[in-house]
Amino acid sequence: MVKIQRFGEWCEITVPSGWEGYTVDYIFRTIWSAPKKQTHHIRMQKQVLVNDEPANWALPLHEGDKLKLQLFQEEEFGVIPTYHEIEVLFEDDHLLVLNKPSGMDTHPNFPDQNNTLANAAAFHLQMQGEYRSIKHVHRLDRDTTGAVLFAKHPLAGAIMDKKLEERAIKRTYLALVHGKPLQKKGTIREPIGRDRHHPTRRRISPKGQPAVTHFELIEPHGNQDLTLIKCRLDTGRTHQIRIHLSHLGHPLAGDVLYGGKPVFPRQALHAVKLETPHPFTGEPVTSHAPFLDIPEIFKGIDPYLF
């Protein structure tokens, strides 16, 4: 287990036995998969110390050594900090997980936009006296609710980007679909591309990007012709779950863009759980997202069961 603590702008990591003999260069490039440009900048700015001395990046480390990284300098937020009521699901010095409501973009689509989750995250940091650029690691559609992961400094952001690429970050969604699929569980592997005839719609396309959705039936929902389905993603294409389940013949309830009936004012899709290894300790971080708005969509369902 990696012991980590913060001292002002510095993050101190006590070198564990598993890192015995590794160099600082190896940790950055291989263990953390930090980008070369970012690693070079940190190295040139002498933002790494070993036992309070400037690090020699080529010397082996020993168990118990104190590896210090200057990670918490003040910087521009990158977005306009704006108050919005938000629910924090997890937070430490490196990561922030928020429960996104519907009707809110994950991040601004133009410089002056201030009504997104990223704006709310920046305001949250500002109120804590943290002046750093916050970065979303993944996104949710405007009307999809649930857990969204942010990185609170660039190195954490780079590490989490790599973990997302390696599918180490697991995202579980709940969806209410029309009808009942014949399969109790299955995998949809259909590439997704843009729809040339619609500005926001996507479609199944042989020339599109690879997309993989795993699904599992949970239970019928009340007296309506709806079924609760759990989904996990191997990829994160725009509208992926919505398109794949519609392709299966069971569009999301409320998702009129992809063939759903308007039984709800939005698509019935919620990112109920997010699981990720911590960027520095490697310990699992699990966040469950309670249902925020329009609770009748997932009425009677316990988000902590998934």
Side-chain angles (χ1 to χ4, degrees):
M1 182 176 177
V2 179
K3 181 181 177 183
I4 185 169
Q5 51 188 327
R6 179 179 175 181
F7 298 96
E9 291 188 353
W10 294 83
C11 170
E12 181 183 275
I13 300 173
T14 302
V15 174
S17 59
W19 291 6
E20 178 76 33
Y22 290 165
T23 64
V24 173
D25 185 75
Y26 181 87
I27 290 169
F28 269 79
R29 295 185 184 275
T30 305
I31 294 181
W32 294 338
S33 299
K36 290 181 180 180
K37 185 176 180 180
Q38 185 180 46
T39 299
H40 179 74
H41 175 79
I42 290 172
R43 188 169 184 168
M44 291 299 100
Q45 295 299 313
K46 301 188 184 304
Q47 293 175 331
V48 181
L49 306 177
V50 175
N51 299 325
D52 292 322
E53 297 291 336
N56 183 325
W57 285 57
L59 281 182
L61 296 169
H62 302 287
E63 181 180 1
D65 282 347
K66 304 299 183 184
L67 178 65
K68 286 187 177 180
L69 313 173
Q70 192 178 23
L71 300 177
F72 307 115
Q73 310 96 311
E74 290 191 0
E75 58 183 343
E76 296 294 326
F77 288 108
V79 297
I80 303 168
T82 309
Y83 173 76
H84 298 280
E85 189 172 340
I86 53 171
E87 181 179 15
V88 176
L89 303 178
F90 174 85
E91 183 175 15
D92 69 358
D93 291 323
H94 312 279
L95 302 178
L96 176 66
V97 182
L98 298 179
N99 194 3
K100 190 183 87 64
S102 65
M104 176 181 274
D105 291 326
T106 299
H107 60 89
N109 295 305
F110 48 87
D112 293 335
Q113 189 176 357
N114 64 1
N115 59 345
T116 76
L117 194 64
N119 299 110
F123 186 88
H124 173 76
L125 292 190
Q126 184 181 60
M127 292 301 292
Q128 298 180 148
E130 299 181 74
Y131 295 86
R132 295 198 300 280
S133 178
I134 190 115
K135 178 184 183 297
H136 65 279
V137 178
H138 65 106
R139 295 177 291 180
L140 292 179
D141 293 346
R142 178 179 176 84
D143 285 329
T144 298
T145 55
V148 177
L149 174 64
F150 289 86
K152 293 174 68 173
H153 57 79
L155 183 57
I159 294 172
M160 299 316 290
D161 282 345
K162 188 65 176 179
K163 292 191 182 301
L164 187 67
E165 180 185 322
E166 296 170 346
R167 301 177 184 173
I169 299 175
K170 308 296 184 184
R171 292 165 288 165
T172 302
Y173 294 77
L174 292 181
L176 279 173
V177 302
H178 293 291
K180 183 177 181 180
L182 296 177
Q183 294 176 268
K184 290 187 176 180
K185 58 174 60 177
T187 299
I188 306 169
R189 302 177 186 274
E190 295 288 348
I192 293 173
R194 290 185 176 274
D195 188 331
R196 293 177 300 169
H197 306 292
H198 196 288
T200 58
R201 186 181 163 102
R202 303 295 194 273
R203 64 182 181 88
I204 300 296
S205 170
K207 296 182 180 180
Q209 295 178 301
V212 180
T213 302
H214 307 283
F215 70 89
E216 179 182 347
L217 274 63
I218 303 300
E219 60 186 17
H221 185 69
N223 297 321
Q224 302 182 66
D225 181 30
L226 300 177
T227 302
L228 180 66
I229 288 181
K230 179 174 73 174
C231 297
R232 286 186 178 236
L233 302 181
D234 279 356
T235 53
R237 309 304 176 203
T238 300
H239 300 176
Q240 179 173 319
I241 292 175
R242 300 165 64 186
I243 296 165
H244 274 176
L245 292 179
S246 179
H247 177 74
L248 197 66
H250 300 279
L252 295 182
D255 191 4
V256 294
L257 185 62
Y258 293 104
K261 298 174 184 177
V263 293
F264 301 122
R266 65 171 178 88
Q267 70 263 14
L269 184 61
H270 179 72
V272 71
K273 184 168 71 170
L274 187 142
E275 303 164 273
T276 180
H278 192 275
F280 298 105
T281 69
E283 293 293 301
V285 175
T286 300
S287 302
H288 290 86
F291 307 114
L292 282 178
D293 56 349
I294 322 178
E296 64 269 22
I297 295 181
F298 296 102
K299 187 175 181 179
I301 299 168
D302 184 353
Y304 293 92
L305 293 178
F306 299 93

